[in-house]
Amino acid sequence: MERWIRPDLRDLLTYSMAVSPEELAAAYGIRPDRLIRLHANENPYGPSPRAREALRNGEWHCYPDPQGRALRRALAEYTGLGPERIALGNGADDVIDLLARLLVGPGRAALIAEPTFEMYALSVRWHGGRVHVVQRDEEFRLPRETLLEAIRRLQPAAVFLASPNNPDGQLLPEETLQAALEEGVMVIVDEAYFEFSGHTFAGWLPRYPNLAIVRTFSKWAGLAALRLGYALMHPDLVRAYDEVRPPFNVNLAAQQAALASLEDRAYLMENVARLVAERERLYRALQAFPFLRPFPSHTNFILCRVSGWDAHRLWEALLRRGILVRRYTAPALREHIRISVGRPEHSEALLRALTEIAEEVPHGAP
Ligand SMILES: Cc1ncc(COP(=O)(O)O)c(C=O)c1O
């Protein structure tokens, strides 16, 4: 079968989606509805009741507005930018993919700073572009001079940077972004966790036509299943983006739910505040475990370096107790787990499980 597939894509096929959380739960004897999902940075409070209500009625038999005008007007009000600066996508993943389609592609290259969100490299490769990598340091900081040197040397068609970064939760320093933008390359800043960090570069858009910002409703608005992402960027780029996307990439349910979420943002931001408070409490509690070193985070997740214990064994020990966190195979992250912030009762279950595990295995044992 593989011979039908583009040769340059064959090597990228990892089938990593093969195991679902439900299958994992079943394999470890956990009832799927009992599994505590702390692996995907979902919002445990779910969507706004108004978003649920908005889904009760819709002209489901009609195609949605391909320009998403009503939602773009509401987003203009939310972001303080004109609707001509806003492009919509089927989740931030789709926005990233469309930007890669528009900017990178055969004969061109993108620069990414690893470890980071996987989709930048995947999308660029799917579109036939090359991926160049600069490495973050041990603390996941991005050395500015290394980045600038790579930009000057490689002249990438796009630089993908997340702020805060997934998996470590740290913000992109302003000086680093400014220096990259001054080089004149296109820089895409992924602000998927903006509502948790409270920090945005959106105010820089009028000054830098080479800046694009990506956002999502998956995290703060609890709409991960409905898929709604957007980009903030120069109006010419929005027009070009709209030319290369399928016309109905954003479905009507997602548009309606996102609109209702923006109308109910006070409610949703209360949940964000709850998660931020819980993140700080969890961060302090995790520090008490000698085999964990949590990184301070501006998101709804906490990366932990695992020492004196194998990170994959720890992942498995948590799963046996009904808690799914994120583990990694990449060498730079192999000794880490990433824990999404849940409701207080989820943190309690996690801390209980960690305490049990710590008692099971004597402190410091390999
Ligand atoms: C940095 C970052 N960007 C984008 C996304 C994807 O968001 P969406 O659900 O809108 O595709 C995620 C999801 O985990 C993320 O961590």
Side-chain angles (χ1 to χ4, degrees):
M1 193 42 92
E2 290 222 333
R3 71 191 166 105
W4 307 110
I5 295 172
R6 261 169 52 192
D8 61 316
L9 285 184
R10 276 180 217 152
D11 294 345
L12 299 178
L13 304 177
T14 60
Y15 304 101
S16 58
M17 305 274 225
V19 186
S20 69
E22 291 70 26
E23 286 167 323
L24 270 177
Y28 284 85
I30 309 292
R31 266 180 43 194
D33 59 323
R34 288 280 182 83
L35 185 70
I36 299 180
R37 298 168 61 100
L38 302 181
H39 66 298
N41 307 336
E42 295 159 345
N43 186 329
Y45 295 104
S48 123
R50 283 210 221 168
R52 287 189 193 280
E53 187 59 34
L55 295 176
R56 286 163 68 94
N57 293 306
E59 298 290 314
W60 306 128
H61 62 294
C62 298
Y63 285 101
D65 175 8
Q67 297 295 334
R69 287 177 188 83
L71 178 56
R72 283 167 69 199
R73 273 197 304 275
L75 276 169
E77 190 262 316
Y78 180 61
T79 59
L81 296 160
E84 71 285 357
R85 284 191 175 274
I86 297 166
L88 303 180
N90 183 39
D93 285 351
D94 186 42
V95 177
I96 292 162
D97 194 66
L98 288 165
L99 287 170
R101 174 184 297 186
L102 185 66
L103 302 167
V104 198
R108 290 162 74 96
L111 184 63
I112 63 167
E114 283 199 328
T116 192
F117 186 51
E118 300 86 349
M119 294 310 296
Y120 316 135
L122 284 174
S123 277
V124 166
R125 292 191 180 115
W126 292 339
H127 291 291
R130 271 172 299 121
V131 176
H132 294 296
V133 174
V134 289
Q135 285 296 337
R136 292 169 191 268
D137 68 15
E138 276 269 293
E139 301 296 305
F140 302 107
R141 283 180 305 237
L142 173 55
R144 191 181 321 151
E145 278 315 311
T146 312
L147 177 74
L148 293 180
E149 186 279 320
I151 290 174
R152 288 180 196 133
R153 182 166 43 87
L154 302 162
Q155 293 294 315
V159 182
F160 286 90
L161 298 169
S163 183
N165 191 43
N166 180 359
D168 54 271
Q170 297 173 53
L171 291 168
L172 175 65
E174 294 193 353
E175 313 79 64
T176 303
L177 178 59
Q178 187 172 5
L181 288 166
E182 296 290 343
E183 292 295 323
V185 289
M186 190 69 214
V187 183
I188 294 139
V189 177
D190 184 343
E191 292 185 354
Y193 301 93
F194 156 62
E195 283 78 5
F196 297 94
S197 75
H199 182 278
T200 179
F201 291 104
W204 293 22
L205 285 164
R207 220 180 335 147
Y208 291 109
N210 52 331
L211 170 64
I213 291 174
V214 178
R215 302 249 189 99
T216 178
F217 280 70
S218 293
K219 314 297 179 181
W220 74 285
L223 293 183
L226 280 178
R227 317 302 299 134
L228 201 299
Y230 60 101
L232 305 170
M233 54 194 178
H234 191 278
D236 290 350
L237 264 178
V238 172
R239 274 191 291 274
Y241 172 104
D242 280 343
E243 296 277 332
V244 302
R245 68 175 169 82
F248 306 111
N249 63 330
V250 180
N251 69 73
L252 179 62
Q255 293 189 33
Q256 289 187 175
L259 255 175
S261 301
L262 290 172
E263 284 163 12
D264 206 11
R265 82 186 73 147
Y267 168 89
L268 288 168
M269 288 309 289
E270 270 177 36
N271 289 341
V272 167
R274 266 189 204 110
L275 288 166
V276 167
E278 187 60 19
R279 175 189 75 205
E280 293 310 304
R281 189 178 82 87
L282 184 60
Y283 172 74
R284 284 191 299 276
L286 290 170
Q287 282 178 316
F289 295 92
F291 53 93
L292 290 181
R293 187 194 141 200
F295 284 79
S297 167
H298 294 270
T299 63
N300 65 342
F301 57 81
I302 299 173
L303 184 71
C304 295
R305 185 164 291 162
V306 181
S307 56
W309 246 85
D310 179 79
H312 285 212
R313 279 184 58 207
L314 178 58
W315 173 88
E316 196 177 7
L318 287 170
L319 187 53
R320 283 188 198 292
R321 290 165 173 82
I323 299 165
L324 181 58
V325 299
R326 177 72 199 268
R327 66 172 168 174
Y328 298 92
T329 49
L333 290 170
R334 175 65 179 67
E335 290 311 319
H336 298 75
I337 56 169
R338 192 195 64 197
I339 303 169
S340 306
V341 179
R343 295 170 183 256
E345 59 267 33
H346 300 150
S347 300
E348 289 316 318
L350 171 76
L351 296 169
R352 258 198 317 276
L354 287 169
T355 307
E356 259 178 51
I357 293 165
E359 279 164 9
E360 226 171 67
V361 175
H363 170 121

